[in-house]
Amino acid sequence: ACTVQAAAITCSLDSLPSGASVTGSASLVASTSGSAVLQARINGSYVDPVTGNDSASATVSPNPSLVDF
């Protein structure tokens, strides 16, 4: 289940076994032209031996001709 609060989308997932993965998607609508940084993070109540792969980010630039102001 996911919730939206301010500029954050938070999703709670069931526990995953070691080595498992999960994917998700979100559709966003730009309110202005320009670029934005999208960030994703994961955390939980577990011991994570590889914390370097717990976050990711990407800069996106919406196509102004597709943005409806």
Side-chain angles (χ1 to χ4, degrees):
C2 298
T3 60
V4 177
Q5 185 175 15
I9 301 170
T10 303
C11 299
S12 298
L13 305 172
D14 291 332
S15 297
L16 297 173
S18 178
S21 64
V22 66
T23 61
S25 65
S27 296
L28 308 172
V29 177
S31 58
T32 61
S33 62
S35 63
V37 177
L38 304 178
Q39 298 177 325
R41 289 185 298 260
I42 187 168
N43 64 21
S45 57
Y46 55 86
V47 176
D48 186 352
V50 185
T51 58
N53 65 356
D54 291 353
S55 64
S57 64
T59 301
V60 296
S61 299
N63 183 336
S65 65
L66 299 178
V67 177
D68 183 13
F69 293 105

